[in-house]
Amino acid sequence: MAESDGPSYIDYETFLDPDFSPTAFANSLVIATNNPSDTPIDLSTPLSRVLFDIQEIDTHIHTLTTKSAIPLLTHTKTQADAGQKIVSEVEAQVASLTDGYQRLEKEVIQRYEEANQVRIAVERLWETVQVGRAVARCLTLGRQLETQMAEVGGVGGTTGSTKKEDHRAMVRASNTLLAARQILSASGPNEEGEHLSKINLITYLQNSVITPSETSLRNRAQQIIREFSLSSLASSSAAPTTYAQSEETKSRTTSALLTLQLLNPRLLIAALQTYLRASLTSSLTSMGRALNNLPTLDRTLLEVSARCQNIVALESLLGATKPPQTTPPDSIAQVQEHLTNLLEPLLAALDTSSLPSFFWRSLAEGLGPRVADLVARGGVTARALRGQRDRVKDSVRDCVLRGSQSPGDPTRKAGAWEREAAVMVGSVTGALGR
């Protein structure tokens, strides 16, 4: 810069040095204009030097700006014009983008909001349709259940009707109940019965049709199993007298078994165990009285044989009855899906391989202490038992062999039940001695 405008005595390199120090520069000026031995230091000379340098620099700056004013203004104007042009172009683009956004908002966003409202309305309508279909299905099943219960003779039946009852309708009604129960239990999110619990009509249907029908079916099936009898050994009004009556009893009992299996497998097991316990209790009580009064022993043993024959017939019926394909959503039902008949879960619950064997062994277990108590009391009864020991032994053995065969079966497989006969004979004669 100094070379272009002529020589200058100002040392610009010193001032432009990055390590320039004002104090060091001032000190060098004072030392250069004064002697170290001078007591009064002259500061006016270095100060004048500094002022003169400043004035020189100011003059130089003024000269440069005066010569370069027009080029600087021209350059500034050019940059300003270019900036203004860019701003104009940007404003045009911004205006175009604004117009595009407004058009997009009108054509897309507003239409999306309208479409979203339509979607919400359609979803709610679809939920309403689903609820309506579920309600309609429940009402259809309820009407169907009323018709079936009228055929059974339960809920919905006409009072004083002389129409013959159809026990097969129990199974149909159980399947209908199961279908209704599945709908009502599917109350999770997005399931068929999600909102049914909030509908008064469905609540009324449950309280007036479904629950009473289920109770009626359960009680009816339990009664049929409780009254099951096929043996003709002992006189009984429930025992069939003809082949057709026997087949009707089997068919009615099969319907009862399937009904309880459909309603709840636990109910079936409980009903069958109740039947076995009732037979055991009656047999144990009657045999205890008969041993105390020997003239009635033969008739009592005949009744016990009849009860066991009924158990044999029940075992055969259970073995021939396959579980229904439709089962309730129950943990036991899921475990029983692989079963081939209804006998297997009962044998598993009783921990036995045969119902007649279970009957005789359980009867012998309860009979032994009673006989021992009779002998311990002594008297006429104990002497009569000891005196007729062989007769009692043969009668009890014959009772076991006779009761262990199917009703109406003339063939006797004695060898198959010798162990049970020995157990029963031992329970009666064991306390009598030899």
Side-chain angles (χ1 to χ4, degrees):
M1 181 175 58
E3 294 177 355
S4 61
D5 297 329
S8 176
Y9 71 91
I10 297 177
D11 187 6
Y12 286 102
E13 293 182 358
T14 301
F15 293 111
L16 296 176
D17 189 355
D19 297 329
F20 174 77
S21 173
T23 56
F25 181 71
N27 186 50
S28 64
L29 288 178
V30 172
I31 294 174
T33 57
N34 289 274
N35 292 323
S37 61
D38 292 340
T39 301
I41 298 175
D42 182 15
L43 297 178
S44 59
T45 302
L47 181 59
S48 299
R49 172 71 182 275
V50 172
L51 293 176
F52 184 80
D53 288 346
I54 292 174
Q55 184 178 2
E56 179 67 19
I57 292 173
D58 181 66
T59 302
H60 190 64
I61 291 174
H62 179 72
T63 302
L64 289 176
T65 53
T66 301
K67 291 180 179 180
S68 305
I70 295 177
L72 287 174
L73 292 174
T74 302
H75 177 72
T76 303
K77 184 177 183 301
T78 303
Q79 294 297 322
D81 293 341
Q84 185 63 36
K85 184 178 180 180
I86 293 173
V87 170
S88 300
E89 293 292 335
V90 171
E91 288 179 350
Q93 295 296 328
V94 170
S96 177
L97 288 176
T98 302
D99 293 340
Y101 176 79
Q102 291 176 351
R103 184 171 61 256
L104 183 66
E105 182 180 15
K106 181 179 180 180
E107 295 180 356
V108 177
I109 297 179
Q110 293 179 358
R111 291 184 180 181
Y112 167 77
E113 293 177 353
E114 295 174 357
N116 190 45
Q117 293 178 356
V118 173
R119 179 187 62 82
I120 295 174
V122 171
E123 288 180 351
R124 291 176 178 176
L125 286 173
W126 172 242
E127 292 178 358
T128 304
V129 169
Q130 286 182 313
V131 173
R133 287 179 177 176
V135 171
R137 188 179 175 193
C138 287
L139 293 178
T140 301
L141 291 174
R143 181 56 184 164
Q144 181 178 337
L145 182 60
E146 285 183 330
T147 303
Q148 293 165 345
M149 292 304 297
E151 296 173 357
V152 174
V155 176
T158 304
T159 304
S161 175
T162 59
K163 182 180 178 181
K164 184 179 179 180
E165 298 177 355
D166 183 8
H167 59 81
R168 295 175 182 84
M170 295 172 59
V171 180
R172 297 194 295 270
S174 299
N175 279 301
T176 303
L177 267 173
L178 186 59
R181 187 190 300 171
Q182 288 175 344
I183 296 176
L184 296 172
S185 62
S187 57
N190 300 323
E191 291 186 337
E192 187 176 9
E194 179 180 0
H195 304 288
L196 291 181
S197 60
K198 304 175 184 178
I199 300 175
N200 294 334
L201 182 60
I202 298 301
T203 303
Y204 174 79
L205 180 67
Q206 286 182 284
N207 295 335
S208 62
V209 178
I210 295 178
T211 301
S213 297
E214 184 174 358
T215 303
S216 177
L217 283 175
R218 182 177 64 247
N219 294 338
R220 185 64 179 280
Q222 291 171 341
Q223 180 184 0
I224 292 175
I225 293 176
R226 191 165 54 247
E227 296 175 352
F228 175 76
S229 176
L230 284 178
S231 177
S232 58
L233 292 178
S235 57
S236 174
S237 58
T241 58
T242 64
Y243 176 79
Q245 291 177 339
S246 298
E247 292 302 311
E248 176 64 20
T249 299
K250 292 180 181 179
S251 179
R252 185 171 60 253
T253 305
T254 300
S255 297
L257 295 174
L258 293 175
T259 296
L260 291 180
Q261 177 72 11
L262 285 169
L263 294 178
N264 192 335
R266 292 189 180 91
L267 293 176
L268 176 59
I269 299 299
L272 293 172
Q273 289 177 330
T274 300
Y275 179 82
L276 292 174
R277 283 196 299 269
S279 298
L280 280 170
T281 303
S282 300
S283 300
L284 186 61
T285 303
S286 60
M287 283 196 68
R289 288 197 298 262
L291 291 174
N292 203 26
N293 186 15
L294 287 181
T296 64
L297 181 63
D298 291 338
R299 181 171 56 83
T300 299
L301 292 178
L302 193 65
E303 294 175 353
V304 173
S305 295
R307 293 190 186 99
C308 188
Q309 281 195 356
N310 289 332
I311 293 175
V312 172
L314 181 61
E315 181 182 53
S316 176
L317 191 62
L318 288 170
T321 304
K322 296 181 179 180
Q325 295 181 351
T326 305
T327 55
D330 184 88
S331 58
I332 291 184
Q334 294 174 358
V335 172
Q336 294 182 357
E337 286 181 354
H338 66 283
L339 298 179
T340 57
N341 56 60
L342 297 182
L343 178 61
E344 295 178 13
L346 178 60
L347 295 179
L350 297 175
D351 193 20
T352 184
S353 59
S354 170
L355 295 185
S357 176
F358 173 81
F359 174 79
W360 291 123
R361 291 178 183 274
S362 299
L363 184 59
E365 183 180 355
L367 194 59
R370 295 198 177 199
V371 176
D373 184 60
L374 283 176
V375 174
R377 288 201 303 264
V380 178
T381 301
R383 289 194 298 272
L385 283 174
R386 288 192 178 95
Q388 302 186 41
R389 181 178 184 279
D390 292 338
R391 170 178 170 266
V392 171
K393 176 182 177 181
D394 293 338
S395 298
V396 171
R397 182 178 182 278
D398 190 60
C399 170
V400 174
L401 298 179
R402 181 175 58 243
S404 300
Q405 57 186 349
S406 299
D409 185 2
T411 61
R412 175 180 299 180
K413 299 178 181 179
W417 303 103
E418 285 295 341
R419 288 186 178 181
E420 282 69 19
V423 171
M424 278 293 295
V425 170
S427 68
V428 175
T429 63
L432 301 178
R434 296 186 179 274

mmCIF file of all heavy atoms in Angstrom, residues 168-205:
data_model
loop_
_atom_site.group_PDB
_atom_site.id
_atom_site.type_symbol
_atom_site.label_atom_id
_atom_site.label_comp_id
_atom_site.label_asym_id
_atom_site.label_seq_id
_atom_site.Cartn_x
_atom_site.Cartn_y
_atom_site.Cartn_z
ATOM 1 N N ARG A 168 -83.576 -86.794 23.191
ATOM 2 C CA ARG A 168 -82.493 -86.372 22.288
ATOM 3 C C ARG A 168 -82.418 -84.853 22.174
ATOM 4 O O ARG A 168 -81.370 -84.307 21.823
ATOM 5 C CB ARG A 168 -82.697 -86.993 20.901
ATOM 6 C CG ARG A 168 -82.589 -88.523 20.905
ATOM 7 C CD ARG A 168 -82.911 -89.113 19.539
ATOM 8 N NE ARG A 168 -82.850 -90.559 19.543
ATOM 9 C CZ ARG A 168 -83.845 -91.345 19.931
ATOM 10 N NH1 ARG A 168 -84.982 -90.786 20.363
ATOM 11 N NH2 ARG A 168 -83.712 -92.648 19.924
ATOM 12 N N ALA A 169 -83.541 -84.208 22.475
ATOM 13 C CA ALA A 169 -83.527 -82.740 22.450
ATOM 14 C C ALA A 169 -82.632 -82.168 23.545
ATOM 15 O O ALA A 169 -82.202 -81.018 23.459
ATOM 16 C CB ALA A 169 -84.949 -82.202 22.612
ATOM 17 N N MET A 170 -82.323 -82.956 24.574
ATOM 18 C CA MET A 170 -81.407 -82.492 25.612
ATOM 19 C C MET A 170 -80.029 -82.213 25.031
ATOM 20 O O MET A 170 -79.389 -81.208 25.365
ATOM 21 C CB MET A 170 -81.312 -83.543 26.724
ATOM 22 C CG MET A 170 -82.601 -83.772 27.500
ATOM 23 S SD MET A 170 -82.464 -85.180 28.642
ATOM 24 C CE MET A 170 -81.106 -84.656 29.665
ATOM 25 N N VAL A 171 -79.576 -83.095 24.140
ATOM 26 C CA VAL A 171 -78.254 -82.912 23.523
ATOM 27 C C VAL A 171 -78.279 -81.696 22.600
ATOM 28 O O VAL A 171 -77.347 -80.886 22.588
ATOM 29 C CB VAL A 171 -77.841 -84.181 22.756
ATOM 30 C CG1 VAL A 171 -76.470 -83.990 22.116
ATOM 31 C CG2 VAL A 171 -77.830 -85.387 23.684
ATOM 32 N N ARG A 172 -79.369 -81.568 21.838
ATOM 33 C CA ARG A 172 -79.473 -80.411 20.946
ATOM 34 C C ARG A 172 -79.516 -79.108 21.749
ATOM 35 O O ARG A 172 -78.865 -78.110 21.393
ATOM 36 C CB ARG A 172 -80.715 -80.537 20.066
ATOM 37 C CG ARG A 172 -80.677 -81.740 19.133
ATOM 38 C CD ARG A 172 -81.748 -81.616 18.063
ATOM 39 N NE ARG A 172 -83.092 -81.666 18.614
ATOM 40 C CZ ARG A 172 -83.795 -82.795 18.787
ATOM 41 N NH1 ARG A 172 -83.254 -83.971 18.456
ATOM 42 N NH2 ARG A 172 -85.005 -82.762 19.293
ATOM 43 N N ALA A 173 -80.265 -79.131 22.844
ATOM 44 C CA ALA A 173 -80.334 -77.937 23.688
ATOM 45 C C ALA A 173 -78.981 -77.636 24.335
ATOM 46 O O ALA A 173 -78.596 -76.469 24.489
ATOM 47 C CB ALA A 173 -81.397 -78.118 24.771
ATOM 48 N N SER A 174 -78.227 -78.661 24.687
ATOM 49 C CA SER A 174 -76.903 -78.453 25.274
ATOM 50 C C SER A 174 -75.956 -77.817 24.262
ATOM 51 O O SER A 174 -75.167 -76.928 24.606
ATOM 52 C CB SER A 174 -76.328 -79.781 25.766
ATOM 53 O OG SER A 174 -77.155 -80.343 26.766
ATOM 54 N N ASN A 175 -76.028 -78.268 23.011
ATOM 55 C CA ASN A 175 -75.203 -77.652 21.973
ATOM 56 C C ASN A 175 -75.590 -76.190 21.757
ATOM 57 O O ASN A 175 -74.723 -75.317 21.556
ATOM 58 C CB ASN A 175 -75.341 -78.436 20.662
ATOM 59 C CG ASN A 175 -74.472 -79.683 20.642
ATOM 60 O OD1 ASN A 175 -73.255 -79.616 20.778
ATOM 61 N ND2 ASN A 175 -75.100 -80.832 20.479
ATOM 62 N N THR A 176 -76.878 -75.910 21.801
ATOM 63 C CA THR A 176 -77.327 -74.522 21.670
ATOM 64 C C THR A 176 -76.843 -73.683 22.839
ATOM 65 O O THR A 176 -76.385 -72.548 22.662
ATOM 66 C CB THR A 176 -78.864 -74.481 21.593
ATOM 67 O OG1 THR A 176 -79.310 -75.292 20.492
ATOM 68 C CG2 THR A 176 -79.346 -73.057 21.381
ATOM 69 N N LEU A 177 -76.932 -74.235 24.045
ATOM 70 C CA LEU A 177 -76.429 -73.533 25.223
ATOM 71 C C LEU A 177 -74.929 -73.268 25.105
ATOM 72 O O LEU A 177 -74.442 -72.182 25.445
ATOM 73 C CB LEU A 177 -76.693 -74.361 26.478
ATOM 74 C CG LEU A 177 -77.986 -74.084 27.241
ATOM 75 C CD1 LEU A 177 -78.160 -75.101 28.352
ATOM 76 C CD2 LEU A 177 -77.977 -72.681 27.820
ATOM 77 N N LEU A 178 -74.215 -74.248 24.595
ATOM 78 C CA LEU A 178 -72.776 -74.092 24.442
ATOM 79 C C LEU A 178 -72.451 -72.988 23.441
ATOM 80 O O LEU A 178 -71.537 -72.176 23.672
ATOM 81 C CB LEU A 178 -72.160 -75.417 23.990
ATOM 82 C CG LEU A 178 -70.630 -75.476 23.919
ATOM 83 C CD1 LEU A 178 -70.027 -75.181 25.280
ATOM 84 C CD2 LEU A 178 -70.174 -76.837 23.424
ATOM 85 N N ALA A 179 -73.196 -72.928 22.343
ATOM 86 C CA ALA A 179 -72.976 -71.865 21.354
ATOM 87 C C ALA A 179 -73.270 -70.491 21.952
ATOM 88 O O ALA A 179 -72.510 -69.530 21.741
ATOM 89 C CB ALA A 179 -73.852 -72.116 20.128
ATOM 90 N N ALA A 180 -74.367 -70.392 22.717
ATOM 91 C CA ALA A 180 -74.689 -69.107 23.351
ATOM 92 C C ALA A 180 -73.638 -68.724 24.387
ATOM 93 O O ALA A 180 -73.244 -67.558 24.499
ATOM 94 C CB ALA A 180 -76.064 -69.189 24.009
ATOM 95 N N ARG A 181 -73.159 -69.706 25.136
ATOM 96 C CA ARG A 181 -72.141 -69.430 26.149
ATOM 97 C C ARG A 181 -70.838 -68.947 25.508
ATOM 98 O O ARG A 181 -70.160 -68.058 26.034
ATOM 99 C CB ARG A 181 -71.884 -70.692 26.967
ATOM 100 C CG ARG A 181 -70.977 -70.484 28.161
ATOM 101 C CD ARG A 181 -70.569 -71.802 28.775
ATOM 102 N NE ARG A 181 -71.708 -72.578 29.234
ATOM 103 C CZ ARG A 181 -71.617 -73.837 29.653
ATOM 104 N NH1 ARG A 181 -70.453 -74.443 29.651
ATOM 105 N NH2 ARG A 181 -72.688 -74.484 30.048
ATOM 106 N N GLN A 182 -70.484 -69.515 24.364
ATOM 107 C CA GLN A 182 -69.260 -69.094 23.684
ATOM 108 C C GLN A 182 -69.364 -67.650 23.205
ATOM 109 O O GLN A 182 -68.385 -66.889 23.266
ATOM 110 C CB GLN A 182 -68.969 -70.034 22.514
ATOM 111 C CG GLN A 182 -68.497 -71.418 22.948
ATOM 112 C CD GLN A 182 -68.328 -72.375 21.789
ATOM 113 O OE1 GLN A 182 -68.833 -72.128 20.692
ATOM 114 N NE2 GLN A 182 -67.615 -73.468 22.003
ATOM 115 N N ILE A 183 -70.539 -67.265 22.712
ATOM 116 C CA ILE A 183 -70.707 -65.873 22.272
ATOM 117 C C ILE A 183 -70.600 -64.934 23.459
ATOM 118 O O ILE A 183 -69.898 -63.915 23.418
ATOM 119 C CB ILE A 183 -72.067 -65.692 21.571
ATOM 120 C CG1 ILE A 183 -72.131 -66.528 20.292
ATOM 121 C CG2 ILE A 183 -72.308 -64.229 21.229
ATOM 122 C CD1 ILE A 183 -73.475 -66.473 19.608
ATOM 123 N N LEU A 184 -71.294 -65.259 24.546
ATOM 124 C CA LEU A 184 -71.317 -64.373 25.707
ATOM 125 C C LEU A 184 -69.963 -64.305 26.413
ATOM 126 O O LEU A 184 -69.625 -63.293 27.021
ATOM 127 C CB LEU A 184 -72.392 -64.841 26.689
ATOM 128 C CG LEU A 184 -73.834 -64.770 26.164
ATOM 129 C CD1 LEU A 184 -74.792 -65.432 27.148
ATOM 130 C CD2 LEU A 184 -74.245 -63.328 25.916
ATOM 131 N N SER A 185 -69.181 -65.380 26.318
ATOM 132 C CA SER A 185 -67.874 -65.380 26.982
ATOM 133 C C SER A 185 -66.805 -64.688 26.147
ATOM 134 O O SER A 185 -65.736 -64.351 26.672
ATOM 135 C CB SER A 185 -67.442 -66.815 27.281
ATOM 136 O OG SER A 185 -67.298 -67.562 26.078
ATOM 137 N N ALA A 186 -67.072 -64.486 24.843
ATOM 138 C CA ALA A 186 -66.103 -63.802 23.976
ATOM 139 C C ALA A 186 -66.246 -62.293 24.161
ATOM 140 O O ALA A 186 -66.704 -61.573 23.270
ATOM 141 C CB ALA A 186 -66.321 -64.203 22.519
ATOM 142 N N SER A 187 -65.865 -61.818 25.332
ATOM 143 C CA SER A 187 -66.082 -60.412 25.695
ATOM 144 C C SER A 187 -64.811 -59.573 25.632
ATOM 145 O O SER A 187 -64.777 -58.463 26.141
ATOM 146 C CB SER A 187 -66.670 -60.327 27.106
ATOM 147 O OG SER A 187 -65.809 -60.987 28.034
ATOM 148 N N GLY A 188 -63.747 -60.113 25.037
ATOM 149 C CA GLY A 188 -62.506 -59.363 24.923
ATOM 150 C C GLY A 188 -62.573 -58.314 23.827
ATOM 151 O O GLY A 188 -63.556 -58.232 23.072
ATOM 152 N N PRO A 189 -61.534 -57.480 23.710
ATOM 153 C CA PRO A 189 -61.503 -56.453 22.647
ATOM 154 C C PRO A 189 -61.589 -57.082 21.260
ATOM 155 O O PRO A 189 -60.943 -58.094 20.979
ATOM 156 C CB PRO A 189 -60.145 -55.764 22.872
ATOM 157 C CG PRO A 189 -59.804 -56.050 24.297
ATOM 158 C CD PRO A 189 -60.379 -57.389 24.594
ATOM 159 N N ASN A 190 -62.442 -56.488 20.425
ATOM 160 C CA ASN A 190 -62.628 -56.918 19.030
ATOM 161 C C ASN A 190 -63.211 -58.325 18.924
ATOM 162 O O ASN A 190 -63.110 -58.956 17.877
ATOM 163 C CB ASN A 190 -61.303 -56.851 18.255
ATOM 164 C CG ASN A 190 -60.724 -55.447 18.209
ATOM 165 O OD1 ASN A 190 -61.460 -54.468 18.096
ATOM 166 N ND2 ASN A 190 -59.411 -55.340 18.302
ATOM 167 N N GLU A 191 -63.815 -58.839 19.997
ATOM 168 C CA GLU A 191 -64.472 -60.146 19.931
ATOM 169 C C GLU A 191 -65.976 -59.954 19.761
ATOM 170 O O GLU A 191 -66.514 -58.865 19.967
ATOM 171 C CB GLU A 191 -64.173 -60.961 21.185
ATOM 172 C CG GLU A 191 -62.724 -61.406 21.267
ATOM 173 C CD GLU A 191 -62.454 -62.329 22.440
ATOM 174 O OE1 GLU A 191 -63.229 -62.283 23.416
ATOM 175 O OE2 GLU A 191 -61.484 -63.078 22.387
ATOM 176 N N GLU A 192 -66.647 -61.057 19.417
ATOM 177 C CA GLU A 192 -68.056 -60.965 19.041
ATOM 178 C C GLU A 192 -68.936 -60.456 20.176
ATOM 179 O O GLU A 192 -69.854 -59.673 19.966
ATOM 180 C CB GLU A 192 -68.541 -62.336 18.563
ATOM 181 C CG GLU A 192 -69.935 -62.333 17.993
ATOM 182 C CD GLU A 192 -70.337 -63.688 17.442
ATOM 183 O OE1 GLU A 192 -69.591 -64.662 17.662
ATOM 184 O OE2 GLU A 192 -71.401 -63.769 16.789
ATOM 185 N N GLY A 193 -68.667 -60.890 21.386
ATOM 186 C CA GLY A 193 -69.525 -60.502 22.504
ATOM 187 C C GLY A 193 -68.973 -59.391 23.357
ATOM 188 O O GLY A 193 -69.296 -59.305 24.546
ATOM 189 N N GLU A 194 -68.160 -58.509 22.759
ATOM 190 C CA GLU A 194 -67.486 -57.468 23.534
ATOM 191 C C GLU A 194 -68.474 -56.553 24.260
ATOM 192 O O GLU A 194 -68.266 -56.186 25.416
ATOM 193 C CB GLU A 194 -66.587 -56.650 22.610
ATOM 194 C CG GLU A 194 -65.850 -55.524 23.308
ATOM 195 C CD GLU A 194 -64.976 -54.731 22.365
ATOM 196 O OE1 GLU A 194 -64.956 -55.066 21.153
ATOM 197 O OE2 GLU A 194 -64.315 -53.774 22.823
ATOM 198 N N HIS A 195 -69.577 -56.167 23.595
ATOM 199 C CA HIS A 195 -70.497 -55.171 24.164
ATOM 200 C C HIS A 195 -71.831 -55.783 24.612
ATOM 201 O O HIS A 195 -72.741 -55.047 24.985
ATOM 202 C CB HIS A 195 -70.779 -54.076 23.140
ATOM 203 C CG HIS A 195 -69.537 -53.401 22.623
ATOM 204 N ND1 HIS A 195 -68.785 -52.540 23.391
ATOM 205 C CD2 HIS A 195 -68.906 -53.476 21.417
ATOM 206 C CE1 HIS A 195 -67.755 -52.094 22.679
ATOM 207 N NE2 HIS A 195 -67.799 -52.654 21.491
ATOM 208 N N LEU A 196 -71.942 -57.119 24.579
ATOM 209 C CA LEU A 196 -73.234 -57.735 24.876
ATOM 210 C C LEU A 196 -73.640 -57.564 26.334
ATOM 211 O O LEU A 196 -74.831 -57.515 26.647
ATOM 212 C CB LEU A 196 -73.185 -59.224 24.520
ATOM 213 C CG LEU A 196 -73.097 -59.557 23.019
ATOM 214 C CD1 LEU A 196 -73.083 -61.063 22.812
ATOM 215 C CD2 LEU A 196 -74.254 -58.916 22.253
ATOM 216 N N SER A 197 -72.656 -57.482 27.232
ATOM 217 C CA SER A 197 -72.992 -57.356 28.653
ATOM 218 C C SER A 197 -73.669 -56.021 28.975
ATOM 219 O O SER A 197 -74.292 -55.882 30.034
ATOM 220 C CB SER A 197 -71.732 -57.499 29.505
ATOM 221 O OG SER A 197 -70.785 -56.500 29.167
ATOM 222 N N LYS A 198 -73.570 -55.042 28.069
ATOM 223 C CA LYS A 198 -74.174 -53.736 28.292
ATOM 224 C C LYS A 198 -75.601 -53.643 27.752
ATOM 225 O O LYS A 198 -76.248 -52.615 27.911
ATOM 226 C CB LYS A 198 -73.317 -52.650 27.630
ATOM 227 C CG LYS A 198 -71.874 -52.635 28.093
ATOM 228 C CD LYS A 198 -71.063 -51.617 27.322
ATOM 229 C CE LYS A 198 -69.583 -51.660 27.719
ATOM 230 N NZ LYS A 198 -68.777 -50.701 26.919
ATOM 231 N N ILE A 199 -76.078 -54.706 27.117
ATOM 232 C CA ILE A 199 -77.397 -54.683 26.480
ATOM 233 C C ILE A 199 -78.409 -55.363 27.399
ATOM 234 O O ILE A 199 -78.244 -56.530 27.791
ATOM 235 C CB ILE A 199 -77.339 -55.378 25.101
ATOM 236 C CG1 ILE A 199 -76.332 -54.642 24.204
ATOM 237 C CG2 ILE A 199 -78.708 -55.420 24.446
ATOM 238 C CD1 ILE A 199 -76.111 -55.297 22.871
ATOM 239 N N ASN A 200 -79.452 -54.645 27.753
ATOM 240 C CA ASN A 200 -80.450 -55.160 28.704
ATOM 241 C C ASN A 200 -81.167 -56.390 28.161
ATOM 242 O O ASN A 200 -81.514 -57.296 28.921
ATOM 243 C CB ASN A 200 -81.462 -54.060 29.029
ATOM 244 C CG ASN A 200 -80.832 -52.897 29.772
ATOM 245 O OD1 ASN A 200 -79.824 -53.062 30.455
ATOM 246 N ND2 ASN A 200 -81.405 -51.708 29.628
ATOM 247 N N LEU A 201 -81.400 -56.424 26.861
ATOM 248 C CA LEU A 201 -82.110 -57.559 26.267
ATOM 249 C C LEU A 201 -81.309 -58.849 26.451
ATOM 250 O O LEU A 201 -81.886 -59.917 26.727
ATOM 251 C CB LEU A 201 -82.358 -57.287 24.779
ATOM 252 C CG LEU A 201 -83.149 -58.371 24.028
ATOM 253 C CD1 LEU A 201 -84.530 -58.558 24.650
ATOM 254 C CD2 LEU A 201 -83.274 -57.998 22.557
ATOM 255 N N ILE A 202 -79.996 -58.762 26.298
ATOM 256 C CA ILE A 202 -79.153 -59.949 26.475
ATOM 257 C C ILE A 202 -79.146 -60.374 27.937
ATOM 258 O O ILE A 202 -79.181 -61.570 28.257
ATOM 259 C CB ILE A 202 -77.729 -59.660 25.970
ATOM 260 C CG1 ILE A 202 -77.741 -59.331 24.476
ATOM 261 C CG2 ILE A 202 -76.824 -60.852 26.227
ATOM 262 C CD1 ILE A 202 -78.299 -60.426 23.605
ATOM 263 N N THR A 203 -79.112 -59.398 28.835
ATOM 264 C CA THR A 203 -79.173 -59.736 30.268
ATOM 265 C C THR A 203 -80.486 -60.440 30.607
ATOM 266 O O THR A 203 -80.505 -61.430 31.352
ATOM 267 C CB THR A 203 -79.033 -58.447 31.104
ATOM 268 O OG1 THR A 203 -77.803 -57.795 30.766
ATOM 269 C CG2 THR A 203 -79.039 -58.770 32.583
ATOM 270 N N TYR A 204 -81.582 -59.935 30.033
ATOM 271 C CA TYR A 204 -82.883 -60.581 30.251
ATOM 272 C C TYR A 204 -82.888 -61.990 29.670
ATOM 273 O O TYR A 204 -83.423 -62.928 30.282
ATOM 274 C CB TYR A 204 -83.978 -59.736 29.598
ATOM 275 C CG TYR A 204 -85.345 -60.384 29.634
ATOM 276 C CD1 TYR A 204 -86.111 -60.360 30.801
ATOM 277 C CD2 TYR A 204 -85.856 -61.021 28.514
ATOM 278 C CE1 TYR A 204 -87.354 -60.971 30.840
ATOM 279 C CE2 TYR A 204 -87.097 -61.629 28.538
ATOM 280 C CZ TYR A 204 -87.848 -61.604 29.705
ATOM 281 O OH TYR A 204 -89.075 -62.206 29.730
ATOM 282 N N LEU A 205 -82.282 -62.160 28.488
ATOM 283 C CA LEU A 205 -82.217 -63.480 27.853
ATOM 284 C C LEU A 205 -81.440 -64.453 28.732
ATOM 285 O O LEU A 205 -81.841 -65.624 28.886
ATOM 286 C CB LEU A 205 -81.555 -63.350 26.481
ATOM 287 C CG LEU A 205 -81.416 -64.643 25.670
ATOM 288 C CD1 LEU A 205 -82.792 -65.150 25.251
ATOM 289 C CD2 LEU A 205 -80.547 -64.415 24.443
#
